[in-house]
Amino acid sequence: IAKKTLHSVLSRVGEGISNLQNIDKFLELIVETATEAFSGKYGVLMLTDRMNRDIYVSAVCGAKGAQKEKLRAKTSDDPFRAILVSGKSMIIENFDPSHFDNPQLKMIFQPPILCAPLTLHENTIGILAVCGRKIERPFEEEEKNLIQNLALQTAVAVENSQLNEDAEKTYFETISALALAVDAKDRYSRGHLDRVAK
């Protein structure tokens, strides 16, 4: 059942990559589906910041009332460091989450943990993890391969979303520069575009 569900979500991810409207909702769908498919207690998708120093929660499943904006850690913290450095999916059987200061991170990162890095062009931008199990059996090698495929497609979706944001910002800056140039040429209409924009 888990394999069928994951193959289904992989195809949905593939279809959605090209026409993303809301990346946050899309990432929540991925985390929720992966958590259910792997019979996990918690699911989490974390992204690194632009400086690659911090890692923050972008989507979470199973942790009711979790405040995503407060769920941050250092990329040098375990288990994140091992995943980000290796660039490979892992099954972490033994892990002590008590070193986290944040009680919500302590709750989410319960072993066993099935995790995969979000890697594109040899650059790791985050981690997809399923933590704890609702059933009494360990994660298997095949599940590790499946989450790796899902993480790869998720990384493509995140990159496309960031490229779209950058393109929109560039368009806006270009239009603003053109408007200022037109505005500066005519002393009678100087400031008019700013007044209209406001």
Side-chain angles (χ1 to χ4, degrees), residues 89-154:
S89 57
M90 297 181 172
I91 299 170
I92 301 170
E93 297 291 346
N94 299 310
F95 175 70
D96 181 11
S98 65
H99 76 274
F100 287 127
D101 292 334
N102 189 306
Q104 291 179 345
L105 286 176
K106 286 180 188 177
M107 176 184 70
I108 292 168
F109 282 93
Q110 297 295 320
I113 304 170
L114 175 65
C115 48
L118 275 63
T119 305
L120 265 183
H121 318 297
E122 298 178 16
N123 184 25
T124 303
I125 60 169
I127 297 169
L128 174 62
V130 176
C131 309
R133 292 219 87 170
K134 291 180 181 174
I135 56 175
E136 289 294 320
R137 75 172 173 79
F139 288 115
E140 297 172 1
E141 200 66 24
E142 190 173 11
E143 291 172 312
K144 190 169 87 167
N145 294 334
L146 285 169
I147 200 169
Q148 182 72 44
N149 288 334
L150 183 56
L152 177 62
Q153 291 201 27
T154 304

Side-chain angles (χ1 to χ4, degrees), residues 170-182 193:
T170 302
Y171 294 150
F172 182 76
E173 288 171 353
T174 303
I175 290 168
S176 296
L178 286 170
L180 287 172
V182 168
L193 294 172

Side-chain angles (χ1 to χ4, degrees), residues 61-81:
C61 175
K64 291 193 191 235
Q67 297 172 308
K68 290 190 303 186
E69 61 279 356
K70 293 185 179 178
L71 295 176
R72 294 183 78 86
K74 296 285 180 205
T75 55
S76 57
D77 290 346
D78 284 328
F80 314 123
R81 179 182 59 233

